[in-house]
Amino acid sequence: MEIGITGVDPTTFPEMAAWHWHIALYLFLGGLVAGIMIISAVLRLRRSPGFDRGLRIAEISAVPLACVGLFALFLDLGNGWNAWRFFATFQVTSAMSWGSWILLFAMIVLVVRATIHTQDLTFRSGWWTRPLDLLSRIGRILGRKSRAIDYSAIVLGIALGAYTGILLSTIPARPLWDSMALAPLFLVSGLTVGGAFICLFLEREPHLRLVPLIVTLCAVELALIAGFMATLLMGPAPLQAAGELLLGGRYALGLWGGVVVLGLLVPVSIEIAEVARRKVPPLLSSIAPYLKMSGGLVLRFVIVYAGVASVL
Amino acid sequence: MARYGMAIDVARCQGCQACLVACKTENEVPLGKFRLRMREEVVGTFPDLYGEFRMEQCFHCENAPCVPVCPTGATFQTDDGLVLTNPSRCTGCKACVVACPYDMRHVNPGGWVDKCTFCDHRIAEGRQPACVVTCPTGSRFFGDLDNPSSDVSIAIASATQVDVLKPHTGAKPKLFYLESKLINQADHDDPATVLSEFAGGK
């Protein structure tokens, strides 16, 4: 059978107009920031010693990371100057509307937490440090409520991390996204990459104490990827066709090579070897967190692009 | 309240695309953009061929998947069942583009998401959509689906074969295809069966 279609534009080829790298990057950074929020808040509430420096850097870094994600989203909008419309209404049936408000509150908590942790910073005196001194003073005031703010960071972090998956899974027209596993997968992946980001700034000893948690998260992420594939391959024909895109299609290398092997199995093996006091080359040891973060990024790209390409 | 819908008689459609051009002119659709598209399906091996032209546009679904995903309420459904987009509220986030199972939405160069409106401005004046009045073979029928004496209801009632695209999505599209031998047929991939039906005048 031959099929001819007239009109080379996004109406004919929807991949020309649908979501691209902006959304994948936005979902990745959203998950990363959510992971940083949750893990850092839990560690602070537990008053775990040895984490303070790493957590402070991660919490302050989370603000520009979230801003980059929002900028990517802004670039994706066809009519960016109408972005304020997201906050002029609340559409209860729209996951994106929920996400807009969650993101707004998460940003407030991110900025508050970053401000709290600037109180420990010392600056050379000069006219240019006055705003930073003021920030430190505000941080000291906000710091009195730090436990309540940490609890709110956990709640908003979970909401933000899950939202990055729910945004896709509430769109039934794309069978690849039609899976209940997507929200927990993106949440756990956010925790994995958030943990990896925090580890970049930790000393060796606290890093090793965090490894059991990170290995558990990676194992759960692998199980969720398996569950996600199972829901596709055991579903109706359109879902099976979507699953084939990931199983042996053009996105298979990205998922299995980039996410599962390089992004999860290899870095987890390195970290387990470190905990077991095996000799691990310093280079391998230092790239493990980067591999996990790359895996998280590739996961979003694979799911977004393969999802747009899948049709009912 | 009316419940507007459209039907296209596939057996009458010659694929001239006058409807597509009329739509572009009537709605000032920008250069390089289209609210309609033509799909041409051909089965068989030369010289034993059977083909159909199928014009596709927004299906103004009853359970329109594009409406609930819109974060600003820019995409909405009127009491008459038309699915419309308010450009001044649209952020161009494209949630509706990916939510449409028929891929019938695109981003206008102005940044907002565009699609067929069933010429709602003409309906308001009591006129038919531009594509309907332009069709030289009279293959398009429009009107109130709840009114048995409307053009579209009569056309559907007198057709021997009525189909909608992708019925399994549950979207309940309100654009119907009449007398098609290729849409939603179990033997869709079996040209021999289609050709034998065609030869038999079924």
Side-chain angles (χ1 to χ4, degrees), chain A residues 208-288:
Chain A
L208 290 182
R209 271 195 285 143
L210 216 51
V211 166
L213 169 70
I214 291 173
V215 170
T216 307
L217 286 172
C218 290
V220 174
E221 188 176 340
L222 280 170
L224 285 167
I225 290 173
F228 172 61
M229 288 304 301
T231 56
L232 292 180
L233 295 172
M234 293 193 294
L239 270 71
Q240 287 179 24
E244 291 295 330
L245 286 172
L246 299 176
L247 205 61
R250 58 181 157 148
Y251 302 99
L253 184 63
L255 180 66
W256 304 108
V259 179
V260 173
V261 176
L262 284 177
L264 289 169
L265 295 178
V266 171
V268 163
S269 306
I270 293 170
E271 287 181 325
I272 289 175
E274 277 186 314
V275 172
R277 307 286 175 194
R278 297 281 169 82
K279 253 194 167 179
V280 178
L283 179 69
L284 270 184
S285 175
S286 60
I287 64 167

Side-chain angles (χ1 to χ4, degrees), chain A residues 95-173:
Chain A
M96 195 179 277
S97 185
W98 279 87
S100 305
W101 287 101
I102 289 170
L103 207 56
L104 180 72
F105 292 120
M107 276 304 288
I108 292 169
V109 170
L110 279 173
V111 171
V112 166
R113 294 185 86 219
T115 308
I116 288 172
H117 299 300
T118 55
Q119 65 178 298
D120 307 324
L121 303 178
T122 51
F123 307 105
R124 280 192 302 172
S125 60
W127 64 267
W128 57 273
T129 63
R130 276 179 200 157
L132 296 174
D133 287 337
L134 179 67
L135 208 61
S136 294
R137 242 176 288 162
I138 296 170
R140 271 192 287 277
I141 296 165
L142 291 171
R144 291 172 203 151
K145 296 283 181 197
S146 65
R147 285 185 73 80
I149 293 167
D150 285 339
Y151 280 117
S152 62
I154 293 171
V155 173
L156 283 167
I158 292 170
L160 179 60
Y163 154 68
T164 59
I166 291 170
L167 174 68
L168 302 182
S169 62
T170 51
I171 294 177

Side-chain angles (χ1 to χ4, degrees), chain A residues 4 11 17 19 76 94 174, chain B residues 34 37 40 69 93-94 98 103:
Chain A
T11 308
W19 292 339
D76 178 68
S94 165
R174 307 291 151 184
Chain B
F34 303 91
R37 72 171 164 230
E40 178 187 351
V69 299
C93 71
K94 297 186 277 291
V98 290
D103 297 321

Side-chain angles (χ1 to χ4, degrees), chain B residues 98-174:
Chain B
V98 290
C100 175
Y102 303 103
D103 297 321
M104 288 316 310
R105 287 172 165 258
H106 64 272
V107 180
N108 186 284
W112 48 279
V113 175
D114 197 8
K115 65 170 199 67
C116 160
T117 61
F118 272 172
C119 284
D120 60 322
H121 58 288
R122 292 174 63 100
I123 296 173
E125 295 167 359
R127 295 189 292 162
Q128 299 258 308
C131 56
V132 175
V133 296
T134 304
C135 181
T137 60
S139 70
R140 285 175 175 264
F141 307 91
F142 180 79
D144 181 1
L145 293 167
D146 288 338
N147 178 0
S149 59
S150 69
D151 290 352
V152 67
S153 296
I154 292 169
I156 289 171
S158 56
T160 55
Q161 176 80 32
V162 181
D163 289 291
V164 293
L165 290 186
K166 298 184 181 181
H168 55 278
T169 63
K172 294 189 180 176
K174 294 204 296 291

Side-chain angles (χ1 to χ4, degrees), chain A residues 18-28 68 71-73 75-76 297 300-301 304-305:
Chain A
W19 292 339
H20 293 293
W21 65 268
H22 318 82
I23 296 298
L25 181 64
Y26 160 66
L27 295 180
F28 168 70
V68 171
F71 185 64
L73 182 64
L75 289 180
D76 178 68
L297 183 64
R300 271 63 171 196
F301 269 81
V304 167
Y305 276 84

